[in-house]
Amino acid sequence: MPSPDRTDVGRSIRSRLSDLRTRLVGDTGDDESPVRTDGGATVSRGSAGTGLSDRLRSLRNSRFVGSLPFWLPPFLLMGLFVYGAIGWNFLISLTDMEGFGDPDYSALDFQQYAELFGSEAFINAARNTFVLLVAFTVLCLVLGLVLAILLDRTLRLQNTFRLVYLLPFSLSFVVTAQLWAWMYDIDNGIINSVLSLGGLRPDWIGNPQLVLGAVIFALVWQFSGYAMVVFLAGLQAIPDEHFEAARIDGASTITMYWRVIIPQLRGSVISALVVLMIGALKAFDFLYALFGQYRPAAGADILATLMVREAYSNQHWAYGSAIAIVLYVLALLVVIPYLYSQYRRGAL
Amino acid sequence: MAELSLDGVTKRFDDGGNDIIAVDEASLEIDDGEFLVLVGPSGCGKSTTLRMIAGLESVSSGTISLDGTVIDDRQPADRDIAMVFQSYALYPHMTVRENMSFGLEESTEMSDDEIRDQVESAAEMMGIEQLLDRTPSELSGGQQQRVALGRAIVRSPAVFLMDEPLSNLDAKLRSQMRTELQRMQEDLGVTTVYVTHDQTEAMTMGDRIAILDDGRLQQVATPLEAYHEPANRFVAGFIGEPSMNFFETTVEDERLVGENFDYPLSEETRADLGDATDVTLGVRPEDIELVDTNEGDGEHDFRTVVDVVEPVGSGNNVYLAFEGDESASELDMDESRTFVATIGGLRRIEAGQPAIARLPEDAIHLFDGETGEALHNRNLDDTETIEPQL
């Protein structure tokens, strides 16, 4: 079809439409006049004198005011109890508050932070936190992925096995910590009972070289089921044809997973990663339950336990607050890239 | 080059103790460069057959061989085949180029440069060279389809396997791709097995079509053979749109007696029936002539009333009910009470109008009422004279 015809048709339709509009609304303004569809069009447009009643009406009709009852209460609650508390905590960390009595807000400085970064205990705890974070997260992801792939391959329809691996995740930290405390017991624990057959008797919890590894192992045991479920959901969303196409394309099982399937699990990896890393940062309850006190065995002190110990055992409130802020910044470092990637993909 | 042959191929699925036979003793010879279409209703085993050729399903018994070599126990990658999936199965995280290169990287020893050249020439052939650096999510359905085809072409396999590759496209694009696919296959001369449930695709694309029903091969023939000389009632009803009309009749002397009509047979036709007593009379819609009410009084003319008219532009599908058949005009009538005739698009006809339907004897098919076997197919000697005369 030659194009001039088409534009003629287009023009005549447009001119007929504008005729129609002129007749209907008497508006002869040009085509570009904005069309308001949000119901606010009747307000204020063309009204010369904006009296008080007009302004009230516009206020009542505005979307912002209308939506207030829906978002304002949770906004205030979150603002006060979460972000307000964080702000206050930061303020305290700038004072020298210790022991009983009110903080002195007149002299604010970063002295606590300076002390913190110079303290060996803090450096130690930070290093342990980092090791725990990385080792725990990586092991959980790998183990979870392997379990998910095995389950997806052989037992696509059987939910029982999924439950078996997920069960530890449903248990409380306190319960699993007690369980592992018994397992790791140097004399009566089941692990050493087995190892003693070979003449070994490691002190899992007492030995500073072993204790962090033992804690990581126990946490991985508890969390890998979660990672597995996340991966399994991701795997089952991949159509069979992708596996088949890869087989026809000549990929071996390993290259098929490595090049075709696992890259498609990017979303699952990110979700699992964030939950696991946050879990590692706040592993305080597990350690507290495992050792029964604020002070874990040497070699297993992490920022979370150090923070609680400084604040509640030693009543170094300002110092504890400073540790809390450091921990908070670490958590932000984990969450912000996630939120940013979600935002970039338009999922937020 | 590549001759594919299936010999007694059977697929049994185990369904909690009882076997389900998905494909029953299918034997087929597919010549080098031939375009064979496997067609049938859903669940007939056509996809399973294709997947057995691809090696995605094991063969329960029988053998599949390529150029005389049995390939049953080979991995899909070692069968020298390429497959196009209904959902395209493009890898979403890879660009078009990576999608097309993947098979070559995994299954050949080619250098990166050779792979790039081959991918680019295949992309050029499919007209997608400007899309090479996009990911599948940035492509339209038709473009994804081209990429899926390109991914198969680039491997220059001995056999193309295609599993309903056009069914996710809209109607316009589908007919366009149909032609393009045929041209491409002709150019490349690669043996192709094409699965579809769409009989139009089967008719228009196939060098030969293999019609499957319930796991059994019903007929393997050229499209026109299947259309004019169906082996049985299933094939006759499956091929052609609108479907062939069937009337259940019994043989009485030289006549077929149906519920609403007597149909006298010539001696010749009668001889084909042998001693069958229950016979299904089949006649294609375009072979039914509608003649003037005052001239139709021949022995093969029947008084009918027009029930529904479906104009399709080039013609009209006219649904007719035998005159006096009260139940035909009731609202809850089942479809078998009416039969359909196709007449020229310019002829005006309206519902409720009486009409005389002529069922010419040289256009009828007769099927055994029990087995469905074709006993008599239409006369093809004087094809010219039995063109629809409307």
Side-chain angles (χ1 to χ4, degrees):
Chain A
M1 194 182 184
S3 57
D5 286 356
R6 208 182 301 165
T7 53
D8 276 348
V9 170
R11 200 173 300 138
S12 85
I13 288 176
R14 218 176 310 136
S15 77
R16 254 160 45 206
L17 279 177
S18 81
D19 282 356
L20 188 67
R21 190 180 60 192
T22 317
R23 258 184 288 142
L24 284 176
V25 295
D27 176 13
T28 50
D30 61 346
D31 282 3
E32 272 69 38
S33 72
V35 177
R36 298 279 298 271
T37 52
D38 59 3
T42 51
V43 187
S44 80
R45 207 168 45 144
S47 62
T50 41
L52 185 65
S53 68
D54 269 354
R55 224 178 298 164
L56 273 181
R57 182 151 23 101
S58 91
L59 206 59
R60 205 167 50 233
N61 284 351
S62 89
R63 274 189 181 191
F64 179 77
V65 174
S67 64
L68 274 180
F70 298 97
W71 59 264
L72 193 60
F75 182 80
L76 287 179
L77 288 172
M78 285 290 285
L80 185 63
F81 292 111
V82 178
Y83 299 99
I86 291 170
W88 193 21
N89 184 71
F90 179 64
L91 200 60
I92 291 176
S93 77
L94 299 179
T95 67
D96 300 322
M97 186 185 181
E98 267 186 46
F100 299 106
D102 289 330
D104 171 17
Y105 294 117
S106 58
L108 299 182
D109 54 27
F110 287 92
Q111 192 205 337
Q112 302 296 344
Y113 292 92
E115 256 177 59
L116 196 59
F117 291 116
S119 137
E120 201 183 325
F122 171 78
I123 304 292
N124 244 327
R127 200 188 55 224
N128 287 343
T129 306
F130 183 73
V131 171
L132 178 73
L133 186 72
V134 173
F136 163 76
T137 315
V138 169
L139 286 176
C140 261
L141 285 182
V142 170
L143 192 63
L145 183 62
V146 170
L147 286 176
I149 287 175
L150 291 178
L151 276 187
D152 183 57
R153 282 180 71 81
T154 55
L155 304 158
R156 262 205 122 140
L157 303 172
Q158 292 188 25
N159 289 329
T160 15
F161 278 82
R162 209 182 310 177
L163 193 66
V164 168
Y165 292 113
L166 190 59
L167 216 51
F169 191 63
S170 69
L171 296 176
S172 152
F173 263 141
V174 180
V175 176
T176 56
Q178 193 57 57
L179 189 85
W180 282 97
W182 288 334
M183 301 245 287
Y184 283 142
D185 189 280
I186 185 162
D187 292 317
N188 306 315
I190 188 166
I191 296 175
N192 277 6
S193 308
V194 174
L195 290 182
S196 63
L197 299 176
L200 293 168
R201 189 172 160 277
D203 185 359
W204 294 107
I205 291 177
N207 186 339
Q209 248 101 55
L210 293 179
V211 63
L212 194 59
V215 168
I216 290 172
F217 187 86
L219 285 174
V220 167
W221 172 82
Q222 183 163 14
F223 272 84
S224 54
Y226 167 76
M228 179 208 68
V229 169
V230 172
F231 283 129
L232 201 55
L235 279 174
Q236 300 201 326
I238 298 175
D240 288 347
E241 281 87 357
H242 288 186
F243 293 84
E244 291 172 349
R247 277 176 70 196
I248 287 179
D249 273 344
S252 66
T253 305
I254 289 175
T255 36
M256 173 177 81
Y257 275 104
W258 187 245
R259 293 193 57 189
V260 176
I261 304 303
I262 293 177
Q264 296 191 44
L265 295 176
R266 188 174 165 274
S268 308
V269 172
I270 292 174
S271 318
L273 203 62
V274 169
V275 171
L276 292 175
M277 286 169 91
I278 302 288
L281 284 178
K282 55 176 209 182
F284 165 78
D285 38 6
F286 184 84
L287 290 169
Y288 180 68
L290 186 65
F291 296 102
Q293 52 169 338
Y294 286 147
R295 177 178 287 283
D301 201 16
I302 62 169
L303 286 177
T305 49
L306 182 68
M307 167 187 79
V308 176
R309 192 165 67 245
E310 287 295 344
Y312 294 96
S313 290
N314 305 344
Q315 320 241 301
H316 297 151
W317 302 110
Y319 195 63
S321 296
I323 303 173
I325 291 296
V326 171
L327 208 48
Y328 176 64
V329 170
L330 286 179
L332 282 185
L333 289 181
V334 173
V335 173
I336 285 176
Y338 170 71
L339 291 181
Y340 180 68
S341 85
Q342 293 289 89
Y343 169 75
R344 232 184 27 201
R345 279 145 42 113
L348 212 66
Chain B
M1 282 277 290
E3 281 167 30
L4 187 66
S5 85
L6 278 65
D7 185 17
V9 170
T10 301
K11 179 69 189 177
R12 274 184 291 272
F13 287 109
D14 183 35
D15 181 39
N18 25 336
D19 278 0
I20 290 175
I21 298 183
V23 179
D24 193 5
E25 299 265 327
S27 296
L28 260 175
E29 297 287 332
I30 303 157
D31 293 337
D32 180 34
E34 186 175 12
F35 195 117
L36 181 103
V37 178
L38 279 174
V39 66
S42 45
C44 71
K46 55 191 190 298
S47 281
T48 310
T49 309
L50 192 78
R51 291 167 59 82
M52 283 193 286
I53 300 173
L56 297 172
E57 300 278 357
S58 61
V59 178
S60 305
S61 67
T63 56
I64 298 172
S65 42
L66 189 62
D67 280 336
T69 322
V70 176
I71 57 168
D72 292 353
D73 47 358
R74 286 199 195 164
Q75 284 297 308
D78 303 329
R79 295 189 177 203
D80 204 7
I81 49 147
M83 184 155 168
V84 179
F85 293 87
Q86 180 176 1
S87 62
Y88 314 141
L90 299 175
Y91 310 130
H93 57 290
M94 296 185 190
T95 62
V96 169
R97 183 190 299 279
E98 286 163 345
N99 263 287
M100 290 173 71
S101 315
F102 185 77
L104 292 177
E105 288 167 14
E106 293 299 328
S107 62
T108 66
E109 301 286 307
M110 282 182 172
S111 71
D112 289 356
D113 285 343
E114 285 174 288
I115 289 177
R116 197 174 54 237
D117 289 349
Q118 199 147 338
V119 166
E120 272 163 18
S121 69
E124 207 169 307
M125 178 165 179
M126 292 309 298
I128 51 171
E129 64 269 40
Q130 73 285 6
L131 305 177
L132 279 174
D133 294 317
R134 298 208 200 158
T135 56
S137 60
E138 296 166 325
L139 305 179
S140 69
Q143 290 170 331
Q144 291 186 24
Q145 163 71 64
R146 279 166 198 274
V147 175
L149 284 171
R151 185 168 72 172
I153 294 172
V154 77
R155 307 206 19 223
S156 47
V159 181
F160 281 139
L161 303 177
M162 305 198 183
D163 190 1
E164 311 216 12
L166 303 183
S167 58
N168 285 356
L169 301 178
D170 62 69
K172 192 91 182 161
L173 202 52
R174 191 181 316 155
S175 64
Q176 189 186 327
M177 282 307 289
R178 209 157 63 195
T179 326
E180 202 165 313
L181 233 168
Q182 246 176 311
R183 193 175 304 136
M184 176 200 95
Q185 195 266 345
E186 240 158 71
D187 288 351
L188 295 172
V190 176
T191 313
T192 303
V193 183
Y194 184 104
V195 161
T196 180
H197 64 270
D198 180 354
Q199 58 90 22
T200 319
E201 257 172 46
M203 287 287 287
T204 51
M205 300 181 78
D207 290 331
R208 280 193 305 159
I209 57 183
I211 300 116
L212 272 134
D213 183 38
D214 203 15
R216 278 169 213 275
L217 214 47
Q218 305 290 323
Q219 188 173 8
V220 184
T222 66
L224 288 182
E225 269 169 20
Y227 189 79
H228 292 301
E229 300 172 61
N232 56 37
R233 186 184 153 155
F234 176 81
V235 174
F238 190 78
I239 302 290
E241 173 69 35
S243 298
M244 187 185 276
N245 298 297
F246 294 111
F247 306 94
E248 305 302 334
T249 63
T250 48
V251 182
E252 284 176 20
D253 302 328
E254 303 294 296
R255 294 173 307 137
L256 295 176
V257 179
E259 200 178 335
N260 293 299
F261 65 94
D262 278 11
Y263 194 94
L265 293 174
S266 69
E267 220 162 291
E268 244 175 288
T269 316
R270 177 70 187 85
D272 283 345
L273 294 183
D275 48 10
T277 52
D278 291 323
V279 167
T280 305
L281 168 72
V283 60
R284 295 223 174 257
E286 66 270 24
D287 291 328
I288 298 179
E289 297 161 27
L290 290 190
V291 295
D292 259 356
T293 34
N294 49 13
E295 86 178 43
D297 47 5
E299 52 182 0
H300 294 147
D301 295 348
F302 304 99
R303 297 192 165 275
T304 61
V305 179
V306 176
D307 187 35
V308 176
V309 181
E310 287 178 352
V312 287
S314 60
N316 286 308
N317 295 335
V318 183
Y319 290 82
L320 303 162
F322 285 108
E323 197 172 62
D325 185 3
E326 290 301 325
S327 53
S329 51
E330 281 169 19
L331 272 178
D332 61 349
M333 65 184 179
D334 59 276
E335 214 183 325
S336 63
R337 310 290 311 186
T338 61
F339 61 101
V340 58
T342 313
I343 61 167
L346 293 176
R347 202 170 134 172
R348 299 242 177 266
I349 193 155
E350 273 172 27
Q353 202 174 312
I356 303 273
R358 176 177 293 165
L359 278 51
E361 191 178 344
D362 53 6
I364 63 167
H365 300 261
L366 297 172
F367 304 98
D368 190 304
E370 275 155 31
T371 64
E373 289 293 308
L375 301 170
H376 168 85
N377 276 326
R378 66 165 305 154
N379 189 348
L380 287 173
D381 294 344
D382 41 5
T383 330
E384 285 303 313
T385 60
I386 57 156
E387 288 286 291
Q389 291 167 353
L390 298 168

